Amino acid sequence: VMDDADVKMALASAVFAAVGTCGQRCTSLRRLILHEKIYDEFVQNLLKAYATIKVGNPFEEDTLCGPLHSQSSVKEYLEGIEEIKKQGGKILTGGKVHELGGNFVYPTIVEIDANAEIVKTELFCPILYVLKCNSIEQAIEINNSVPQGLSSGMFSKNMQNVFKWTGPNGSDCGIVNVNVGTSGAEIGGAFGGEKETGGGRESGGDAWRQYMRQATCTINYGNE
């Protein structure tokens, strides 16, 4: 999120992408990179938003965060929190199992160094890292510094930022969004990632190629 972004839109998008489906989408938001000029205020507003999130039955209309898939997911969440603390991460909110019991946990925000090893590990749960940048170039560098490369989104009104972000030296993800969150906008587009998230695409113009066996045929139908 750059310093010229529509921060209200960015905030709503970030909360939905990080917390929706209890952080269990392949496109869930894991790292929120904020320009240093808006960092403090954005984080405070993010904490206020998290305080309003209802955890519970996902079939109820006003519930944003349902349960984790299984007890092994809860274990991954708790072990992830402990590792985050060991690596110098600060839990700003959440970080524990919910009073509802079962597979419910609190959506969590973590302040941590962008270079911490745990940030490179995808924990499939509602843990969001907030990171700081001072320029679009540094934001892109942080974005591209992990082994995964599925979905990314940048918020900015500056066209130079937009074309840097979507250009050949921008985000190295398979999905590169502008002023849209990381999850939910890929319907009908070519869906897939790069690096450890794999090549190939589903949907989009060339998706059928993945399901076909390509053969090069040379046929001589003459007599010589």
Side-chain angles (χ1 to χ4, degrees), residues 29-31 76 79-81 83-84 87 112 114-125 127-129 145-148 196:
L29 179 63
R30 311 292 179 196
R31 297 175 300 150
E76 180 182 48
E79 289 177 351
I81 295 296
E83 190 58 38
I84 284 165
Q87 295 186 25
I112 196 168
N115 295 316
E117 278 301 311
I118 188 67
V119 176
K120 299 176 183 178
T121 303
E122 184 176 27
L123 299 174
F124 223 60
C125 51
I127 295 176
L128 176 66
Y129 303 111
S145 67
V146 296
Q148 303 83 12
E196 284 188 5

Side-chain angles (χ1 to χ4, degrees), residues 1-3 32-39 131-140 142:
V1 182
M2 302 309 296
D3 55 330
L32 180 59
I33 305 164
L34 301 167
H35 194 281
E36 60 187 10
K37 289 182 180 177
I38 63 164
Y39 182 89
L131 313 171
K132 192 180 291 187
C133 71
N134 57 29
S135 65
I136 181 65
E137 290 80 13
Q138 188 182 34
I140 291 170
I142 295 170

